[in-house]
Amino acid sequence: MSPFTGSAQRTAQWRHLRVDEEDGVTTVTLARPAKLNALTFEAYADLRDLLAELSHRHRTRALVLAGEGRGFCSGGDVDEIIGATLGMDTARLLDFNRMTGQVVRALREAPFPVVAAVHGVAAGAGAVLALAADFRVADATARFAFLFTKVGLSGGDMGAAYLLPRVVGLGHATRILMLGEPVRAAEAERIGLLSQLVEEGDTVRAAHGLARRLADGPALAHAQTKALLTAELDLPLSGAVELDAATQALLMHGEDYREFHAAFTEKRPPDWQGR
């Protein structure tokens, strides 16, 4: 994502999310615990715009996405979104669905790794937000439910039919998206949906530990690795190895590559600059 911005100023306060920044790690918390962090139109828009701002500012080196209270995110608010969409015309519905997809694209295209800290329910759009993260850290209370067919819609919502087969394979993805049945933490770990299964109540701490490890590492190398993982999903091998070669040639001109050699020679840990 381009670092160049126009006249718009940095947003000082986000009304529909809680955002905390500490030494390169940004924590974004969905904060409607009474509604199991159900998403509203405004929350989707805030997520879309926040991710764009963070990507432009180049201060975030890793991001933790978490939910306050008893669960991660129960999906779109039944009254505020599902009820409202019943009265929308096709053009308005297309605008809304494109916006939800823009959030997923922003998560996948952000130039920093995203760690989802999942406890309790991650349902509907909440499951897709976790899926779109680079890492999913969860405890035994976590359950992922791609509920879209349960409400009469396609299971391929917000890019789920693209992303999920690439994470767990086509067979598991077909069952999960078609039937809409919950995937509990033990099964999620078995089929590769989880990056790390931790003790109950430990998801945010473990996610922050992972995010800190990433933020303290070579940020530019992480960003390019993430970009290649996404870009090469649909490339033939010849295109992928050429893209890898071009990327490595650029990074070999970077300060971090030179710093590794200096640190190795001097027998000390590298001081990564993310450049």
Side-chain angles (χ1 to χ4, degrees):
M1 189 174 289
S2 168
F4 301 105
T5 59
S7 301
Q9 299 298 308
R10 172 188 172 189
T11 304
Q13 183 175 4
W14 299 92
R15 290 193 298 149
H16 306 285
L17 307 165
R18 191 166 69 248
V19 181
D20 302 290
E21 297 180 83
E22 183 179 354
D23 193 22
V25 175
T26 298
T27 303
V28 178
T29 305
L30 308 175
R32 293 184 79 207
K35 291 266 191 147
L36 277 174
N37 302 316
L39 297 166
T40 61
F41 296 114
E42 294 80 12
Y44 275 118
D46 264 6
L47 274 171
R48 175 200 61 197
D49 296 345
L50 169 63
L51 288 163
E53 280 201 20
L54 293 177
S55 297
H56 290 148
R57 287 163 49 199
H58 282 252
R59 285 174 45 184
T60 297
R61 295 165 67 101
L63 184 144
V64 173
L65 181 61
E68 183 179 330
R70 295 179 295 118
F72 177 71
C73 176
S74 60
D77 190 287
V78 173
D79 296 320
E80 296 193 36
I81 287 187
I82 297 179
T85 55
L86 295 176
M88 292 182 181
D89 62 20
T90 302
R92 186 68 170 159
L93 289 169
L94 186 56
D95 283 342
F96 164 62
N97 283 284
R98 282 175 172 161
M99 176 175 67
T100 65
Q102 287 165 357
V103 174
V104 170
R105 283 191 59 186
L107 286 167
R108 294 303 316 141
E109 295 174 2
F112 42 76
V114 177
V115 182
V118 183
H119 71 289
V121 66
V128 183
L129 291 181
L131 174 64
D134 302 290
F135 300 88
R136 282 159 295 283
V137 176
D139 68 14
T141 69
R143 62 189 189 278
F144 300 84
F146 295 83
L147 297 171
F148 306 108
T149 60
K150 297 284 191 181
V151 301
L153 296 176
S154 163
D157 194 54
M158 297 172 62
Y162 178 88
L163 292 171
L164 192 59
R166 289 163 167 81
V167 174
V168 303
L170 181 60
H172 288 306
T174 300
R175 170 177 57 88
I176 292 166
L177 295 182
M178 196 83 71
L179 299 179
E181 294 175 347
V183 179
R184 299 190 180 275
E187 182 189 0
E189 183 183 36
R190 178 177 63 82
I191 65 177
L193 185 55
L194 293 190
S195 309
Q196 186 180 356
L197 183 61
V198 299
E199 294 295 322
E200 185 172 337
D202 203 29
T203 53
V204 172
R205 188 200 65 79
H208 271 275
L210 176 56
R212 170 51 52 203
R213 176 182 172 187
L214 291 161
D216 289 344
L220 185 57
H222 290 158
Q224 290 306 116
T225 302
K226 176 173 179 172
L228 292 181
L229 284 167
T230 298
E232 293 181 16
L233 286 172
D234 301 306
L235 286 181
L237 178 59
S238 59
V241 296
E242 178 62 22
L243 185 56
D244 285 352
T247 301
Q248 297 295 54
L250 288 171
L251 290 176
M252 285 173 178
H253 276 295
E255 293 181 22
D256 280 348
Y257 187 64
R258 188 176 300 277
E259 166 62 12
F260 165 77
H261 183 263
F264 181 84
T265 302
E266 298 166 14
K267 296 181 172 53
R268 59 173 176 80
D271 181 16
W272 303 115
Q273 298 299 310
R275 294 191 292 270

